[in-house]
C-alpha cells in the first residue's frame, strides 16, 4: 500500500512536467510576450524600451528553455509567482481568496448530486420494468438532452426573476453565501441528474442480475436488504469511479457556472486570466488542476481497495 | 406410508421471450418423501433447473412466470403464499445451492457475514450462537481452518471451497428440503466426488430431503433413491434408481444410459444420442422425443403419450408402454 502510493506519486512527476510543457507550448502558439506587454502597458502607448523592460521584468527575455525550466521549477516548489497583469498581485493570494466560493458550491452540489442521484437510481432500479422505471428513464434522457445553459438561464429567470427566491447572480462571504450558492447548486444538480441517474441505474441493474443476488434471495433475505446491502455495496465500485471526476471540480469550480452566476471563485479567476492572456496565472491554475486530478485518482484507488476486497494496491 | 414432504403437480413454468412463449417446464409432477433423495436428470434445456427455481419461486421475473400447477410443501400449496410468506420458507425450510460456486457468493462480504446472514434473516440463531454455528457448519462441510475462513472473502477460496461454503449457508437453518442445482458441474472431477459424498452424508445425518438436479446420470447411483428423467419440459420416466439404471423403459433413458462409459461394454464405441433438445419455444408435436427416438412408431408423430404407471414406484411417458388401466390390472392391488 505505502509502496504503491510512493510509486503513484513518482509517476505523477513526469505527468506534471508534461502538463507544464504542453501549457508552455500552447501558450507560445497563441500569444507572444510582446503582445502581453502591449496589453498590460497599453494605456501608456508603450515605447519599444518599455516593452523590453516589461519583458525583462517578467522574465520573458530569457531563452525559451530557460523560461520553461524556471517556471516549471517554481510550480513544483509551489512558488506560483505573480500575475502578469498591471497589478501584479501574488497568484497564491488570489487562490486563497477565491478557493472558498468554488469549494462551497462544488462541495454542496457534489454531496447533493450523489445523494439524490443514488436514491433516485435505487428507486427506479427497485421498480425496474414498471411504468415508473420507463417514465423515469425517459425523463432522464430528456434532462440529458437539454443543454446546461438552459438550466442556468431558466433557473435565474424562474427563481431569481419570477419567484424572487434567490439572487440572480453574485456572491457574499459568510453565511450569506448560502443564499447565493443555492441556485448554482440546484442548477448543477439538475443538469447532471439525467445522465447520472441513468448511469447509476445501469450499475444497479448489472448487479441485480448477478448470481449472488439469487443466492441472497434463496437465503430468504428481503428485497430491501438485497438492494440496499448486497447490490448497493457492489454498485458502489463503479459509482466511485464516475464520481471522482468531480473532485478536481471541487477546487477549480465549474467555469461556466461561476461566470454566469458571477461567483468570485477559481473558475472565474481562470477565465479572466485566459481572456487577458495572463500566462503566469494560467500556468499556475493548470498545474494545480493537474495536481488535484492526480490526487483525486489516487484517492479513488484507495477507496476501491476499501470497498472491494479483491482489489489490492501493490 | 408417510405423506410426501413435497408434491409437485402439473407444474407449468413459462417464459415470455422475443422468440415467443417458451414452455420451459410443461406439466411436471413428482413427489418427494421426508428423508428421500431424488435426482432430476436431463440434458441442458430440458427444464430441470427451472423446476427447482419454480419450487423456490425464484424464476427470473418478469419474463418467467408459473402458469399453472401446485407445489404442495408440508401439505400447503407454496403457490398460494405471498412473497413475504414464501421468504420465510426460503433458506429456512427449503434451501438451494447453485451450479456456479464462483459467482454465487457476494464478493464484497466475508464468508462469516454471508453464513450468519442466512441465520439472522430467520432469527433461528442469533449473535454468538450464530457465529458458533457458522464455525461448526464450516467444520462440518470439511473446511480446514473455519476461524480463518469466516474472516475471508470469496475470492480467497477455490471453487470447491466456495461450494462447501454454499452448502454451509444452505444448511444454516436445518432445512427440511435441499435443492441442489448441478452442484458439481463447475468443479474438477476429484472435487465433484468429494462434494457429492458430502451432500449424501449430510442428507443422511440430518434426515432432510434432497432434490439433486444433474445432467450426469453417472452420479445419481451414488446419491439418489429415485430418479426422474426430464426431456423437453416433461418428466419422461420416473423410477427407483436401481430399477432405472438396470432396466430403463423409455428410449430416451435407454439412450442416456447407453452413452455412459461402462465396464461391461468395454472396448466398444460409446453410444451417442443424436440431435439436441428442441428449443422450448417450439416443442415438436406428438411425442416431443419422436424425431430423436430409435423406436419411433406412427402414433408418436401425432399424439403425445400420457404418463402411465409401471408398478407402484415407476411411471413412463411413452407409447411403447401400455395404458395405465392395462398396467394396474396386471399389478396386484395393495
Amino acid at each position: 500500500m505505502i509502496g504503491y502510493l510512493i510509486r503513484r506519486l513518482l509517476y505523477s512527476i513526469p505527468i506534471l512536467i508534461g502538463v507544464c510543457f504542453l501549457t508552455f507550448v500552447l501558450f507560445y502558439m497563441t500569444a507572444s510576450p510582446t503582445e502581453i506587454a502591449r496589453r498590460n502597458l497599453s494605456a501608456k502607448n508603450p515605447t519599444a524600451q518599455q516593452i523590453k523592460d516589461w519583458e525583462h521584468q517578467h522574465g520573458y527575455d530569457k531563452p525559451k528553455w530557460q523560461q520553461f525550466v524556471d517556471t516549471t521549477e517554481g510550480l513544483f516548489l509551489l512558488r506560483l509567482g505573480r500575475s502578469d497583469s498591471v497589478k501584479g498581485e501574488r497568484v497564491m493570494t488570489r487562490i486563497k481568496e477565491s478557493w472558498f466560493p468554488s469549494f462551497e458550491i462544488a462541495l454542496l452540489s457534489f454531496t447533493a448530486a450523489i445523494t439524490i442521484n443514488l436514491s433516485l437510481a435505487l428507486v427506479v432500479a427497485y421498480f425496474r420494468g414498471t411504468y415508473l422505471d420507463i417514465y423515469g428513464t425517459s425523463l432522464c434522457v430528456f434532462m440529458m438532452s437539454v443543454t446546461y445553459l438552459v438550466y442556468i438561464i431558466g433557473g435565474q429567470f424562474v427563481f431569481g426573476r419570477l419567484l424572487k427566491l434567490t439572487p440572480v447572480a453574485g456572491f457574499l462571504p459568510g453565511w450569506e453565501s448560502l443564499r447565493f450558492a443555492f441556485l448554482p447548486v440546484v442548477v448543477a444538480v439538475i443538469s447532471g441528474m439525467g445522465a447520472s441517474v441513468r448511469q447509476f441505474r445501469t450499475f444497479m441493474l448489472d448487479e441485480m442480475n448477478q448470481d449472488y443476488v439469487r443466492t441472497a434471495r434463496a437465503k430468504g433475505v428481503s428485497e430491501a436488504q438485497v438492494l440496499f446491502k448486497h447490490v448497493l455495496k457492489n454498485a458502489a465500485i463503479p459509482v466511485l469511479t464516475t464520481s471522482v471526476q468531480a473532485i478536481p471540480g471541487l477546487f477549480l469550480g465549474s467555469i461556466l457556472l461561476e461566470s454566469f452566476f458571477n461567483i468570485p471563485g477559481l473558475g472565474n479567476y481562470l477565465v479572466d486570466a485566459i481572456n487577458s492572456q495572463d500566462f503566469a496565472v494560467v500556468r499556475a491554475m493548470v498545474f494545480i488542476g493537474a495536481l488535484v486530478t492526480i490526487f483525486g485518482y489516487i484517492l479513488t484507488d484507495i477507496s476501491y481497495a476499501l470497498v472491494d476486497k479483491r482489489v489490492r494496491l501493490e | 406410508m408417510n405423506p410426501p414432504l413435497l408434491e409437485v403437480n402439473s407444474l407449468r413454468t413459462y417464459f415470455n421471450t422475443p422468440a415467443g412463449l417458451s414452455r420451459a417446464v410443461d406439466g411436471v409432477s413428482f413427489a418427494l418423501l421426508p428423508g428421500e433423495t431424488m435426482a432430476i436428470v436431463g440434458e441442458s434445456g430440458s427444464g430441470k433447473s427451472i423446476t427447482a427455481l419454480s419450487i423456490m419461486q425464484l424464476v427470473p421475473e418478469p419474463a418467467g412466470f408459473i402458469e399453472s400447477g401446485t407445489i404442495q410443501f408440508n401439505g400447503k400449496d407454496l403457490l398460494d403464499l405471498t412473497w413475504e410468506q414464501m421468504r420465510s420458507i426460503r433458506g429456512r425450510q427449503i434451501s438451494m445451492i447453485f451450479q456456479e460456486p464462483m459467482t454465487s457468493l457476494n464478493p464484497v462480504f466475508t464468508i462469516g457475514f454471508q453464513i450468519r446472514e442466512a441465520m439472522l434473516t430467520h432469527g433461528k440463531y442469533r449473535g454468538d450462537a450464530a457465529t458458533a454455528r457458522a464455525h461448526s457448519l464450516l467444520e462440518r462441510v470439511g473446511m480446514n481452518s473455519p476461524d480463518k475462513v469466516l474472516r475471508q472473502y470469496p475470492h480467497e477460496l477455490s471453487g470447491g471451497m466456495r461450494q462447501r461454503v454454499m452448502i454451509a449457508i444452505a444448511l444454516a437453518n436445518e432445512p427440511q428440503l435441499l435443492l441442489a442445482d448441478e452442484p458439481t458441474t463447475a468443479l474438477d472431477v476429484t472435487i465433484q466426488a468429494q462434494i457429492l459424498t458430502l451432500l449424501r452424508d449430510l442428507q443422511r445425518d440430518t434426515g432432510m430431503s434432497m432434490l439433486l438436479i444433474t445432467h450426469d446420470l453417472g452420479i445419481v447411483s451414488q446419491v439418489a433413491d429415485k430418479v426422474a428423467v426430464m426431456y423437453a419440459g416433461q418428466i419422461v420416466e420416473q423410477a427407483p434408481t436401481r430399477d432405472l439404471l438396470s432396466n430403463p423403459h423409455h428410449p430416451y433413458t435407454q439412450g442416456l444410459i447407453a452413452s455412459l462409459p461402462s465396464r461391461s461394454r468395454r472396448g466398444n464405441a460409446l453410444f451417442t444420442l443424436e440431435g439436441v433438445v428442441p428449443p422450448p419455444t417450439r416443442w415438436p408435436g406428438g411425442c416431443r422425443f419422436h424425431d430423436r427416438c430409435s423406436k419411433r412408431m406412427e402414433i408418436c408423430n401425432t399424439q403425445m403419450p400420457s404418463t402411465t404407471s409401471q408398478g407402484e414406484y415407476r411411471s413412463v411417458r411413452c407409447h411403447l408402454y401400455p395404458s395405465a388401466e392395462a398396467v394396474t390390472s396386471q399389478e396386484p392391488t395393495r
Side-chain angles (χ1 to χ4, degrees):
Chain A
M1 179 90 167
I2 302 289
Y4 170 85
L5 285 180
I6 292 172
R7 219 171 54 238
R8 279 298 294 264
L9 287 172
L10 290 178
Y11 281 151
S12 65
I13 293 174
I15 296 175
L16 288 171
I17 293 176
V19 166
C20 290
F21 183 71
L22 269 178
T23 323
F24 190 81
V25 170
L26 284 173
F27 172 75
Y28 272 110
M29 280 168 71
T30 54
S32 72
T34 318
E35 284 174 40
I36 306 170
R38 268 183 204 289
R39 204 179 244 269
N40 286 311
L41 298 168
S42 61
K44 303 160 202 160
N45 195 11
T47 58
Q49 186 55 44
Q50 276 176 315
I51 290 175
K52 261 216 166 67
D53 288 348
W54 188 91
E55 282 179 11
H56 179 74
Q57 191 191 337
H58 290 88
Y60 288 114
D61 56 342
K62 291 182 203 164
K64 293 267 187 331
W65 67 269
Q66 184 70 51
Q67 286 181 36
F68 177 69
V69 171
D70 285 354
T71 56
T72 307
E73 189 191 337
L75 291 175
F76 268 87
L77 299 172
L78 286 182
R79 287 200 306 250
L80 304 181
R82 286 171 183 278
S83 156
D84 283 343
S85 70
V86 190
K87 284 179 277 178
E89 59 190 347
R90 290 189 162 277
V91 176
M92 198 53 120
T93 318
R94 271 299 297 270
I95 289 177
K96 277 179 186 158
E97 279 168 12
S98 47
W99 74 272
F100 186 75
S102 298
F103 183 76
E104 180 180 342
I105 287 173
L107 186 71
L108 287 176
S109 42
F110 180 75
T111 31
I114 286 272
T115 323
I116 295 172
N117 296 345
L118 210 52
S119 318
L120 288 177
L122 278 167
V123 171
V124 285
Y126 188 82
F127 292 103
R128 64 196 172 281
T130 67
Y131 282 110
L132 185 77
D133 180 23
I134 296 166
Y135 290 136
T137 317
S138 316
L139 185 66
C140 285
V141 175
F142 175 77
M143 291 174 72
M144 279 166 74
S145 320
V146 176
T147 160
Y148 209 86
L149 293 170
V150 172
Y151 293 114
I152 295 179
I153 298 166
Q156 284 176 330
F157 183 72
V158 173
F159 285 94
R161 266 287 179 73
L162 291 183
L163 303 176
K164 297 201 190 307
L165 286 177
T166 59
V168 174
F171 205 79
L172 283 173
W175 287 109
E176 195 75 344
S177 67
L178 286 175
R179 217 158 57 79
F180 289 90
F182 177 78
L183 192 53
V185 168
V186 169
V187 167
V189 170
I190 300 245
S191 60
M193 192 183 271
S196 292
V197 170
R198 246 172 63 88
Q199 196 174 25
F200 289 175
R201 173 184 171 275
T202 315
F203 295 153
M204 304 283 176
L205 291 190
D206 282 350
E207 294 299 329
M208 293 273 225
N209 294 325
Q210 299 292 318
D211 287 337
Y212 68 78
V213 171
R214 190 181 55 188
T215 306
R217 291 196 179 124
K219 285 199 282 193
V221 175
S222 70
E223 279 306 287
Q225 294 257 326
V226 167
L227 192 62
F228 289 107
K229 217 157 67 184
H230 289 260
V231 169
L232 192 56
K233 195 163 177 194
N234 280 281
I237 301 161
V239 167
L240 265 179
T241 344
T242 49
S243 302
V244 78
Q245 294 165 348
I247 291 182
L250 287 181
F251 292 84
L252 288 183
S254 167
I255 291 171
L256 210 57
L257 210 59
E258 288 192 4
S259 37
F260 267 87
F261 285 102
N262 202 13
I263 292 157
L266 295 178
N268 226 346
Y269 184 37
L270 181 59
V271 173
D272 288 347
I274 293 170
N275 285 337
S276 60
Q277 291 184 324
D278 191 338
F279 184 37
V281 175
V282 173
R283 78 176 165 237
M285 296 299 288
V286 170
F287 182 82
I288 288 174
L291 205 64
V292 168
T293 309
I294 290 169
F295 184 69
Y297 279 113
I298 294 177
L299 216 63
T300 333
D301 284 349
I302 294 172
S303 47
Y304 270 162
L306 293 179
V307 179
D308 187 349
K309 298 297 172 184
R310 286 167 296 185
V311 176
R312 283 182 172 274
L313 301 181
E314 273 164 4
Chain B
M1 199 167 68
N2 286 327
L5 176 71
L6 177 77
E7 194 173 2
V8 175
N9 221 318
S10 306
L11 177 71
R12 289 174 206 279
T13 305
Y14 293 171
F15 287 82
N16 287 312
T17 69
L21 187 66
S22 161
R23 290 176 290 162
V25 176
D26 206 10
V28 162
S29 305
F30 63 88
L32 191 59
L33 299 177
E36 196 177 34
T37 298
M38 175 169 157
I40 298 184
V41 184
E43 286 169 89
S44 309
S46 59
K48 52 197 193 307
S49 292
I50 300 298
T51 305
L53 284 175
S54 301
I55 296 170
M56 287 297 258
Q57 286 174 48
L58 286 177
V59 176
E61 283 172 334
F65 58 96
I66 295 173
E67 163 71 20
S68 63
T70 57
I71 301 171
Q72 303 273 340
F73 180 74
N74 281 329
K76 273 182 306 197
D77 188 355
L78 296 184
L79 299 180
D80 288 341
L81 300 183
T82 63
W83 177 267
E84 276 304 299
Q85 287 169 328
M86 191 58 214
R87 193 164 78 73
S88 66
I89 288 180
R90 279 190 212 116
R92 181 174 182 142
Q93 285 163 292
I94 308 179
S95 287
M96 186 158 178
I97 53 177
F98 300 96
Q99 185 177 346
E100 307 85 5
M102 301 311 278
T103 53
S104 288
L105 292 165
N106 192 326
V108 300
F109 291 108
T110 61
I111 301 298
F113 175 89
Q114 299 189 52
I115 300 179
R116 275 167 49 88
E117 188 188 35
M119 290 182 264
L120 302 181
T121 300
H122 295 290
K124 203 167 165 181
Y125 298 90
R126 290 168 197 278
D128 290 345
T131 313
R133 179 159 168 80
H135 187 275
S136 65
L137 279 167
L138 284 179
E139 239 166 20
R140 180 66 195 84
V141 297
M143 299 293 263
N144 278 330
S145 37
D147 279 323
K148 189 174 154 221
V149 175
L150 282 174
R151 288 191 307 272
Q152 278 179 316
Y153 287 86
H155 70 273
E156 296 171 89
L157 306 179
S158 69
M161 287 161 90
R162 289 190 212 182
Q163 196 60 296
R164 287 172 198 270
V165 170
M166 285 297 291
I167 294 171
I169 290 173
L171 294 179
N173 292 307
E174 295 146 336
Q176 291 170 279
L177 173 62
L178 177 65
L179 308 175
D181 183 7
E182 307 223 22
T184 60
T185 306
L187 303 174
D188 293 344
V189 180
T190 47
I191 311 292
Q192 283 187 9
Q194 291 175 14
I195 296 286
L196 271 184
T197 315
L198 173 67
L199 282 174
R200 189 193 59 201
D201 292 349
L202 288 168
Q203 186 270 325
R204 284 183 189 163
D205 293 354
T206 60
M208 64 183 175
S209 301
M210 186 157 80
L211 190 65
L212 177 72
I213 313 282
T214 178
H215 66 266
D216 185 358
L217 197 52
I219 68 173
V220 304
S221 61
Q222 303 169 40
V223 187
D225 301 314
K226 63 181 184 186
V227 183
V229 179
M230 268 191 91
Y231 186 82
Q234 298 173 331
I235 292 181
V236 293
E237 182 166 6
Q238 244 183 102
T241 309
R242 197 176 302 164
D243 297 349
L244 185 103
L245 293 177
S246 59
N247 179 23
H249 285 7
H250 197 285
Y252 178 61
T253 319
Q254 291 168 358
L256 284 182
I257 290 173
S259 5
L260 289 176
S262 138
R263 202 172 291 163
S264 61
R265 291 190 300 276
R266 205 183 180 130
N268 300 322
L270 216 50
F271 177 80
T272 316
L273 201 56
E274 295 294 335
V276 292
V277 182
T281 44
R282 285 177 282 119
W283 295 134
C287 174
R288 290 179 181 176
F289 187 58
H290 78 257
D291 55 350
R292 296 173 75 187
C293 184
S294 55
K295 297 175 179 167
R296 182 168 61 223
M297 300 180 291
E298 198 58 38
I299 186 174
C300 304
N301 298 331
T302 53
Q303 196 183 329
M304 187 191 289
S306 53
T307 306
T308 61
S309 44
Q310 309 285 318
E312 197 189 350
Y313 300 109
R314 288 198 82 152
S315 66
V316 66
R317 186 192 275 268
C318 179
H319 288 304
L320 285 174
Y321 296 88
S323 70
E325 300 81 56
V327 172
T328 29
S329 66
Q330 287 166 13
E331 291 286 319
T333 44
R334 290 170 203 238

